[in-house]
Structure formats: structure tokens, C-alpha cells
Amino acid sequence: VREKRLTLPPSEITML
Amino acid sequence: ATLVRVAKTASTLGIAIEGGANTRQPLPRIVTIQRGGSAHNCGQLKVGQIILEVNGVSLRGREHRDAARLIAEAFKTKDRDYVDFLVTEFNVAL
């Protein structure tokens, strides 16, 4: 099975 | 885009950001504004805004940690008692 990645990964969240 | 000057009126900036280059959100987006932080005291930053520049430095192409470090350093430096944010309400592909 070939999987195609359609979206970029989510980002982490940083508290500043 | 809007230029927002956040005076360092509290010991923390008080924003949470998500996003950065090579993620679904290519420019950092404000996801939280903490009550009592400098950003909250300023009253002009809002959840959902996209940060385009910090003190005139573009965040385009910067990965999340790099963008976060730039913002943290802008807040930490004693060179100036404010941080300038160029923000937009729109998730523009720049």
C-alpha cells in the first residue's frame, strides 16, 4: 500500500 | 498587516505560538494570550493573528524553534523596552 502525504505535519506550540 | 508595539510591562510576554516553516502553519500564529503578560497588557495582539516580523526581522522560512527563539530574545534583550510585531489577521501564503 502506498501512502501519499498530502499535508505538512502540525507544529508544536511554544509559550513565550 | 498591522504593526503592534508591545511594551515590556510584565515579566513575561505571555503569548503561545504555533507554526513555522515546514509545518501546516508556515508562519507563527498566536494561539493563546495569557492574562497579566505584556502582550495582554498591550491589548492589541489577538489570538489567531499571524506574526510576520519581530523587530523588523521576517519570520518567513524560520522553523518553529527558530521563530520562538527570535521572539524570546527580542523580549529578553535590555536594548529596548518594547517588542514590535508585524501581524496580520489573514493566513496569507507569503
Side-chain angles (χ1 to χ4, degrees), chain B:
Chain B
T2 310
L3 186 67
V4 175
R5 177 161 290 185
V6 176
K8 298 175 183 176
T9 55
S11 61
T12 60
L13 176 58
I15 64 170
I17 58 160
E18 70 168 0
N22 305 318
T23 73
R24 282 176 205 163
Q25 173 60 53
L27 280 163
R29 190 174 75 95
I30 299 172
V31 291
T32 308
I33 296 184
Q34 275 193 328
R35 201 187 285 186
S38 296
H40 183 261
N41 293 346
C42 160
Q44 291 183 76
L45 288 181
K46 294 171 212 155
V47 168
Q49 285 174 329
I50 311 297
I51 304 173
L52 304 173
E53 294 181 5
V54 177
N55 288 339
V57 178
S58 174
L59 297 187
R60 193 198 313 194
R62 289 181 190 269
E63 295 200 344
H64 178 80
R65 284 175 192 199
D66 191 21
R69 190 185 318 117
L70 194 82
I71 296 168
E73 284 171 1
F75 188 77
K76 197 172 63 180
T77 181
K78 296 194 188 324
D79 294 352
R80 43 185 122 186
D81 55 6
Y82 58 84
V83 183
D84 281 337
F85 290 94
L86 186 67
V87 297
T88 178
E89 309 288 332
F90 307 105
N91 209 349
V92 282
L94 289 171

Side-chain angles (χ1 to χ4, degrees), chain A residues 7-16, chain B residues 14-17 19 23-24 34 64-65:
Chain A
T7 54
L8 288 160
S11 165
E12 57 195 305
I13 292 176
T14 301
M15 189 75 213
L16 294 157
Chain B
I15 64 170
I17 58 160
T23 73
R24 282 176 205 163
Q34 275 193 328
H64 178 80
R65 284 175 192 199

